[in-house]
Amino acid sequence: LSSFLKQCPLCLTNIAPDLDGYSFEWCCMVKVCAGCQLDDFMARREATCAFCRARCPETDKERLALLQKRVDAKDADAIAVLGNKYFNGSLGLPQDYGRSFVLFQEAAALGSVNAQN
């Protein structure tokens, strides 16, 4: 089980990949636990990434651009997220099961646990 858990990079709390209780950061594709995200927001009162301090994207177009940047860098989790967006037809992308399947395969081959379920 411990091999499937990720840790919050700020407080080192274990985060299961398929459960809620974390905040997904579009800018750096980092999962930060909900406690650290809330602490960061309360300290600075602005919507920025708790990990890298980048401004949080406000539109789907901005989110997609940040996601594509990580996909281009061969980030396995970002590729799995993009596959999920094609599967659901979100972020302004058309619903495309074939494209999502190819992306999930690529993400799994690169080591994404989320792409394997």
Side-chain angles (χ1 to χ4, degrees), residues 10-85:
L10 301 175
C11 70
L12 304 179
T13 299
N14 286 334
I15 303 170
D18 59 344
L19 300 176
D20 291 336
Y22 67 87
S23 174
F24 175 77
E25 305 297 350
W26 290 97
C27 46
C28 54
M29 295 290 132
V30 171
K31 290 181 180 177
V32 178
C33 77
C36 287
Q37 183 66 33
L38 179 62
D39 285 346
D40 180 65
F41 178 77
M42 295 302 287
R44 295 183 298 114
R45 297 284 185 193
E46 58 185 329
T48 58
C49 174
F51 185 71
C52 74
R53 306 288 190 237
R55 182 184 63 80
C56 291
E58 296 178 12
T59 66
D60 284 348
K61 185 176 180 178
E62 290 175 332
R63 288 181 191 95
L64 186 57
L66 289 171
L67 179 58
Q68 190 60 54
K69 189 175 182 181
R70 296 302 312 152
V71 167
D72 293 344
K74 297 295 184 195
D75 181 322
D77 288 332
I79 294 168
V81 169
L82 185 59
N84 191 32
K85 299 306 175 191

Side-chain angles (χ1 to χ4, degrees), residues 6 75-81 104 106-117:
K6 289 194 172 197
D75 181 322
D77 288 332
I79 294 168
V81 169
F104 286 139
E106 181 181 354
L110 290 170
S112 173
V113 174
N114 295 328
Q116 299 177 24
N117 52 359

